[in-house]
Amino acid sequence: MKIQIINPNASLAMTEEIGHAARRVAAQGTHIMLTGTASGPASIESAFDEALALPGLMQAVEQGRREGVHAHVVACFGDPGLQAAREVADAPVLGIAQAAMHAACLLAPRFSVITTLQRTVSTAERLARLYGFEYQCRRVHATGLPVLALEAAATDDRVFAQVRACAERAIEEDGCGALVLGCAGMAPLCARLSGVLGVPVIDGVSVAVKLAEALSGAGLSASKRGDGARPEAKPVTGIMSAFALSD
Ligand code: 2AL
């Protein structure tokens, strides 16, 4: 089985760490196709960043589709372009926020999310509502760390300490039974945090890989009818013309 993991931000260091997290949990016989983006912002922490990341993301999905992957994973916690990717993909497309929130609900009555900058809190809150987890998502906390500070997550103890302090605060204040990591760049911290926090800590990259294996293994693919239908081909002009769909 071939699973494509797409990092929609342009940080090469983060793409590598995301690849490590995915390969750590992949089953024997699962090949991880790791795709960075050729164009886009270095990190995604605003609606504007997300808009700039979408063309590169859609190109990556098309590349995976042409190579016949069995599932795609969008490895950014804002789940950018998730429905658009599903509309054009043949195989299942998983977003790490949706995957992680589902996993958290299978493990505890309620969960909290720890994210990067304060401005990303409302994005995670909006997704929790969109996915139907308004009750289960207790609260979203910001660590105050920009996404790019997490490039050093695997090696810098100060990054670990700051994320841990935020996680301890979330568990203490919210009484939540599970914790969701709100950025793909936090994946290298997951095992270490699990070891000290006493609640399940969910990294969406790992969980999305396992769900991708499960969905594809069950013979499921992307919807191609109703509200999942492939968009109609139509003229696309200007700098976006390369993205026009053909029939
Ligand atoms: C993210 C993420 O996972 N990747 C990225 O660039 N931004 N999430 C976040 N909360 O800032």
Side-chain angles (χ1 to χ4, degrees):
M1 182 182 303
K2 196 197 276 194
I3 299 177
Q4 183 189 31
I5 314 288
I6 305 167
N7 177 18
N9 77 37
S11 163
L12 291 177
M14 203 165 288
T15 301
E16 285 306 308
E17 287 299 341
I18 288 168
H20 292 320
R23 292 191 177 107
R24 249 195 310 274
V25 297
Q28 242 186 359
T30 295
H31 171 71
I32 300 293
M33 172 186 171
L34 184 62
T35 313
T37 40
S39 63
S43 63
I44 303 169
E45 41 199 13
S46 66
F48 180 70
D49 290 340
E50 184 170 320
L52 294 186
L54 291 181
L57 171 66
M58 299 316 295
Q59 261 176 342
V61 171
E62 178 55 20
Q63 184 192 344
R65 193 186 72 81
R66 270 192 267 108
E67 294 195 22
V69 298
H70 297 92
H72 313 255
V73 172
V74 178
C76 171
F77 201 81
D79 286 355
L82 188 58
Q83 296 303 342
R86 285 178 179 153
E87 285 178 354
V88 296
D90 299 325
V93 186
L94 289 112
I96 64 168
Q98 194 172 31
M101 290 182 195
H102 274 91
C105 292
L106 299 175
L107 298 166
R110 296 208 278 181
F111 65 87
S112 289
V113 178
I114 48 174
T115 182
T116 52
L117 297 180
Q118 182 64 36
R119 68 177 304 150
T120 68
V121 166
S122 65
T123 304
E125 288 175 344
R126 180 170 48 77
L127 291 180
R129 291 209 178 93
L130 178 68
Y131 299 149
F133 297 124
E134 195 158 7
Y135 168 73
Q136 289 97 332
C137 181
R138 181 74 183 76
R139 210 175 134 193
V140 181
H141 297 255
T143 58
L145 287 165
V147 170
L148 292 179
L150 293 166
E151 284 182 333
T155 51
D156 188 338
D157 283 343
R158 286 167 306 179
V159 172
F160 175 76
Q162 195 162 335
V163 175
R164 180 184 178 177
C166 182
E168 298 275 15
R169 204 165 55 243
I171 296 165
E172 188 62 34
E173 290 175 8
D174 307 346
C176 57
L179 207 65
V180 167
L181 301 180
C183 181
M186 292 180 185
L189 302 171
C190 188
R192 212 170 152 196
L193 288 169
S194 298
V196 294
L197 291 176
V199 299
V201 180
I202 296 132
D203 156 44
V205 177
S206 314
V207 159
V209 169
K210 300 313 286 181
L211 287 174
E213 288 176 342
L215 293 176
S216 179
L220 294 167
S221 54
S223 171
K224 286 291 151 257
R225 203 170 162 182
D227 60 8
R230 184 173 171 85
E232 299 285 320
K234 67 182 75 164
V236 177
T237 54
I239 58 170
M240 301 305 285
S241 56
F243 291 89
L245 295 176
S246 51
D247 284 320

